[in-house]
Amino acid sequence: MTLALDPAAQDLLFREARTANTFTDEPVTDEQVREIYDLIKYGPTSFNQSPLRIVLVRSPEARARLAPHLVEANRAKTASAPLVAVLAADNEFHEELPALFPHFPEVKDVFFSEFAVRERNAALNAALQAAYFIVGVRAAGLAAGPMTGFDPAGVQKEFLDEDHVPVMIVNIGRPGKDAWFPRSPRLAYEQVVTTV
Amino acid sequence: MTLALDPAAQDLLFREARTANTFTDEPVTDEQVREIYDLIKYGPTSFNQSPLRIVLVRSPEARARLAPHLVEANRAKTASAPLVAVLAADNEFHEELPALFPHFPEVKDVFFSEFAVRERNAALNAALQAAYFIVGVRAAGLAAGPMTGFDPAGVQKEFLDEDHVPVMIVNIGRPGKDAWFPRSPRLAYEQVVTTV
């Protein structure tokens, strides 16, 4: 192996990192989430769109509002996680572009005046940022439990507004007892990569 | 800072890493791409869908076929990159699910018999994997230049088939002269994260 990233970091972020299904009681603090964000905010997005928005579902009352919108198989996982993050895409991200793309502030109107274009861009770029967030949770030494098994309309109505659409929900914490199954296989290089 | 990931790795992957717009002539080998894939294949996807497919555009003939489909502002960047990767989503990823999700092989038919469901899942999960790929290019000590400024239908027709849709194109190499502008601002934590 000749990767520049040292083997311990490779293990922490990818090789040994796993999607946790159970968690310990150890709290995840707002300060930890701030450190994660302050790392992963640098991940690239198209035109620096940065459409990811995060709702931390922390209070027992909010947790109780979230549970019914998860598919049943995900409810116990989320109940055991000390912190749950709803990751959403802001379809009105273009309002921030004059600040985020200062060398061409007109990009807001030149490229993003159409809602359908914004929606498509927000979906792609918030997904990229969701992946950076998962990597960031692992960089903090925590386990992430990303889930797409939930009712998007229900979660949107409960925790977001009409401009923000949910991308995924991530359970966050220290892995608990029997936190995961054996790792599933991955596709071989030859199944994924072709050269022309 | 209390992140578990060491500061050098934080810099390599996020803090100091930048989207390169120019590259040196130093080749990027297939072996390097293999090492990148063998790291980032472990990044999580829904049901281990793993829909990302990669076309390495390497030959001068293929490079010439790609150029006209890029927006004009991206052509010089791609011309200077020693290797260019077309990242695509496989809408027929479910064919691999019995191997990828062996403890519930029926998932292929139970959840993914509808094309619209597959298309939505492939778009999200290939985007997650595209972000892991960008992180992986950086983990290899290389600079990534991800681009969404291209004609998707043209790139699909030229390099893919009807089951595979392009997600992004990534220039890969060592950063060249004046490889980037000063870094653009990022949103503050308070603009992105709320707690309930």
Side-chain angles (χ1 to χ4, degrees), chain A residues 80-149:
Chain A
S80 99
L83 187 63
V84 182
V86 173
L87 306 190
D90 182 0
N91 286 331
E92 301 303 295
F93 68 84
H94 66 315
E95 297 294 348
E96 311 298 336
L97 278 181
L100 289 172
F101 207 69
H103 58 286
F104 180 42
E106 300 80 4
V107 70
K108 174 189 168 188
D109 300 311
V110 173
F111 288 118
F112 298 110
S113 58
E114 271 184 55
F115 177 77
V117 173
R118 292 201 301 276
E119 190 178 40
R120 196 169 60 240
N121 275 265
L124 172 62
N125 287 286
L128 298 181
Q129 290 188 284
Y132 304 145
F133 183 81
I134 292 168
V135 172
V137 167
R138 293 167 165 192
L142 298 168
M147 304 182 298
T148 52

Side-chain angles (χ1 to χ4, degrees), chain B:
Chain B
M1 291 295 298
T2 60
L3 291 179
L5 186 68
D6 72 272
Q10 294 177 33
D11 288 346
L12 181 71
L13 302 182
F14 289 103
R15 295 187 200 283
E16 301 292 328
R18 299 294 310 281
T19 290
N21 298 316
T22 70
F23 296 88
T24 71
D25 292 338
E26 185 179 326
V28 175
T29 66
D30 286 358
E31 187 52 39
Q32 285 174 295
V33 181
R34 186 180 288 270
E35 290 185 0
I36 292 166
Y37 176 70
D38 283 341
L39 179 70
I40 64 99
K41 70 183 180 186
Y42 294 114
T45 57
S46 311
F47 288 103
N48 199 26
Q49 287 171 19
S50 310
L52 181 71
R53 302 294 179 268
I54 302 171
V55 179
L56 300 178
V57 184
R58 185 182 280 294
S59 72
E61 171 272 328
R63 301 287 291 266
R65 286 195 289 129
L66 177 61
H69 302 292
L70 303 176
V71 300
E72 196 153 342
N74 282 338
R75 288 180 197 166
K77 301 178 195 180
T78 294
S80 99
L83 187 63
V84 182
V86 174
L87 305 190
D90 181 358
N91 286 332
E92 301 302 295
F93 67 85
H94 66 315
E95 298 294 347
E96 312 297 337
L97 278 182
L100 289 172
F101 206 69
H103 57 286
F104 181 42
E106 300 80 5
V107 70
K108 175 190 167 187
D109 300 310
V110 174
F111 287 119
F112 298 111
S113 58
E114 271 183 55
F115 177 77
V117 172
R118 292 202 300 277
E119 190 177 40
R120 194 168 63 239
N121 274 266
L124 172 62
N125 287 286
L128 298 180
Q129 290 188 287
Y132 304 144
F133 183 80
I134 292 168
V135 172
V137 168
R138 292 167 166 191
L142 298 168
M147 305 182 297
T148 53
F150 59 87
D151 170 32
V155 169
Q156 181 175 21
K157 188 160 181 225
E158 198 75 45
F159 294 102
L160 303 165
D161 62 26
E162 63 182 358
D163 296 333
H164 295 79
V165 292
V167 175
M168 68 169 62
I169 296 174
V170 185
N171 301 318
I172 306 172
R174 302 272 178 198
K177 191 166 183 294
D178 301 326
W180 38 69
F181 299 109
R183 194 192 276 285
S184 293
R186 295 301 195 266
L187 296 174
Y189 180 83
E190 290 72 17
Q191 293 174 285
V192 172
V193 183
T194 55
T195 304
V196 293

Side-chain angles (χ1 to χ4, degrees), chain A residues 19-184:
Chain A
T19 290
N21 298 317
T22 70
F23 297 88
T24 71
D25 292 339
E26 185 180 325
V28 175
T29 66
D30 286 358
E31 186 52 39
Q32 285 174 296
V33 180
R34 186 180 289 269
E35 290 184 1
I36 292 166
Y37 176 70
D38 283 341
L39 179 70
I40 63 98
K41 69 184 180 186
Y42 294 114
T45 57
S46 310
F47 288 105
N48 198 25
Q49 287 171 19
S50 309
L52 181 71
R53 302 294 179 267
I54 302 170
V55 179
L56 299 178
V57 183
R58 187 182 278 294
S59 71
E61 171 271 329
R63 301 287 291 268
R65 285 196 288 128
L66 177 60
H69 302 291
L70 303 176
V71 299
E72 195 154 343
N74 282 337
R75 288 180 196 166
K77 302 178 194 180
T78 294
S80 99
L83 187 63
V84 182
V86 173
L87 306 190
D90 182 0
N91 286 331
E92 301 303 295
F93 68 84
H94 66 315
E95 297 294 348
E96 311 298 336
L97 278 181
L100 289 172
F101 207 69
H103 58 286
F104 180 42
E106 300 80 4
V107 70
K108 174 189 168 188
D109 300 311
V110 173
F111 288 118
F112 298 110
S113 58
E114 271 184 55
F115 177 77
V117 173
R118 292 201 301 276
E119 190 178 40
R120 196 169 60 240
N121 275 265
L124 172 62
N125 287 286
L128 298 181
Q129 290 188 284
Y132 304 145
F133 183 81
I134 292 168
V135 172
V137 167
R138 293 167 165 192
L142 298 168
M147 304 182 298
T148 52
F150 59 88
D151 170 32
V155 169
Q156 181 175 20
K157 187 161 182 224
E158 198 75 44
F159 294 102
L160 303 166
D161 62 27
E162 62 182 358
D163 297 333
H164 295 79
V165 292
V167 175
M168 68 169 61
I169 296 174
V170 185
N171 301 319
I172 306 172
R174 302 272 178 199
K177 192 165 180 297
D178 300 326
W180 39 68
F181 300 108
R183 194 194 276 286
S184 293

